[in-house]
Every structure is written in structure tokens, then in C-alpha cells.
Amino acid sequence: MTGTLITLAPTGAESAKADVPALPVTVDEVVATARDCQALGAAVVHLHVRDAETRPTLDLGRVREVVTAVREATDLVVQLSTGCAVTDPADARLAVLDAEPDAASLTLGTVNFGRDVFCNPWDLIVELHTQMQQRGIVPEYEVFDLGHLATLARLLDRHGPPSGGHVHADLVMGVPGGMPGTTQALAACLPHLPPGATFAATGVGRTSLPVVLAALSAGGHLRVGMEDTLTYAPGQPVRDNAQLVARAAGLARIAQRPPMSTEDARAMLGITRTTVEARE
Ligand code: KMH
Ligand code: ZN
């Protein structure tokens, strides 16, 4: 059994800095968070970028600035969100790839998202998959519902394997409108993963901890962070992202699948872009 890949999702597009002061939104805050969380066991960082007013932005200059700053300060695999915010149009979401991240998220279908709709039609899925193949960007397939795995099978069948050749999916559970964050829902997804694929799971809100435990017990990997979880325990707000990564890393060690290094993460995901040591 290999180690556990821990992905940090520090910011997201949904929470306001005014409501959640510990949310990292400036370049310096994101870099400090990334550095702290790598030291605790994170190997991948899933980034949504904020502007100077702390609002979600897809401004390419700002996105590039954050990617460069995180790369300079850490060895983390830099994964940009192409899910962005529910209000972002498809062309702006595709343009995120111009920032040349190591990896990017790719959501496999439309899903209700609270009172909103997170819109991911087939043509956008194909365009993201194809552009990532052409640019050498490794996708992480985001699965909000069981049917999204049927779409993944169809995508790979019609358009070939992703850049790097390895399929890695993230089960995003507990979104109001998507699959529930339960052991039963996680187990139901597993037979539908493509052969040879690895998976991580993310439990939104109060499903965070049960999903971590279910994923570890099923041999899966973990995504944690303040994008998904703002309450550490009933009545106890999350102090910072490091607190969530430390908990995930501790549970992974208890499961005897300790956090994976950034190097091992790159090898597993098929990311050939070099690490800081290799560049020096
Ligand atoms: N912010 C959500 C609408 C992703 O980053 O790829 C989409 C999301 C998924 O978080
Ligand atoms: Zn995201």
C-alpha cells in the first residue's frame, strides 16, 4: 500500500474574507499557507485566485503571479481550478490554462451547487481535457455525482488518456446538490473508477471527517482545506488550513499510509515538470 496524497484546497471561490478572516487570499498569505502545509504533509495545492479586493478573479496576470510565487516558495504540485466560481463563463475558465500550471481540476458534469448551478456541459469537458492533453497539464477529474464517472469513462474512450497517462479523480462529496458525504456513497463510486485510476475524496462541511476516514479505509487519497471546510468540530471554527492538513496527515499515519512526498506525488500523477531541487 502506498502513501497518502494530501491535496490542500486553501481558499476556494465561495467564502468571503470578511466572513472568514483566516482565509488566505493575498499572494503572501497563499504562499505562507502553502509552505506551512507542505511541511505538514501536503503535496498538491488546488488554487483559486483572489484579486486585491479579495474577490475571486481569473485575471491571468494575477493567476500567473500566484503560480510563480507558490512554485518559488514550495515544491508543491500547483493545480489551478478550472471550476472557478459558478458565475464564471466557460472561455475564462479555459483561459486559466494559459498560466501553465502543473495540473488543473476538470469537473465532469453539471451539478446543483446550493442555490446555484455549477455548469459543466460535455463540450466544455472535452475542450478542457483536449487542451490539457495538448499543453501537458495533468487533470484531476472532479466527481460530484456517480454519473460523472460514466462521463469520465466516455471521455477517456472517445478522447484518450490524459496528459501523463494516469487517471486521478477527486470525489467531491457533501455539496448541497451533489452526492452525500457518506461511506456508502464513496463505496458506490469505487467500482466505476477507470482501471488503474487513483482517487481522492473531499468532504464538504460537516462531511469532512467521515469522508477522510472512508477514503483512507478504501485506499484513497485526501483533499482538505478551507475551500471545503470552515468548522473543525461542532462549534469550533477552523483556525487555519494547517490545522486541517495536520489532522489529515495524522489520520493517514494512523492508517499506516503516511503523507506522500511531492516527488512521489509527481510520479503517481504523471507530472514531469521539475521540482525546486531538480531546477537548482
Ligand atoms: N467553486 C466551485 C464552483 C473546482 O475547483 O474545480 C467549483 C470547484 C471545483 O470548486
Ligand atoms: Zn476548487
Side-chain angles (χ1 to χ4, degrees), residues 252-276:
R253 284 194 192 91
I254 289 169
Q256 300 184 359
R257 291 181 44 224
M260 222 178 236
S261 67
T262 53
E263 200 182 347
D264 288 349
R266 281 187 168 78
M268 184 181 89
L269 297 171
I271 292 172
T272 51
R273 220 176 272 269
T274 54
T275 61
V276 168

Side-chain angles (χ1 to χ4, degrees), residues 13-14 46 48 81-86 105 107 113 118 142 144 227:
E14 281 73 36
H46 166 87
H48 292 252
S81 169
T82 67
C84 308
V86 290
S105 60
T107 297
F113 200 85
F118 180 28
E142 307 298 332
F144 287 71
E227 171 166 346

Side-chain angles (χ1 to χ4, degrees), residues 186-209:
L186 185 139
C189 288
L190 302 184
H192 302 279
L193 288 166
T198 50
F199 79 97
T202 308
V204 171
R206 69 186 60 173
T207 73
S208 179
L209 197 48

Side-chain angles (χ1 to χ4, degrees), residues 53-54 56 78 81 89 91 94 99 111 126 136 143 157 181 192 212 221 229 237:
E53 278 75 49
T54 78
V78 176
S81 169
D91 55 350
L94 278 158
V111 62
V126 170
V143 175
D157 180 51
H192 302 279
V212 165
H221 301 277
T229 306

Side-chain angles (χ1 to χ4, degrees), residues 118-131:
F118 180 28
C119 209
N120 295 286
W122 171 250
D123 287 351
L124 175 59
I125 293 168
V126 170
E127 192 60 29
L128 283 165
H129 178 78
T130 308
Q131 286 205 23

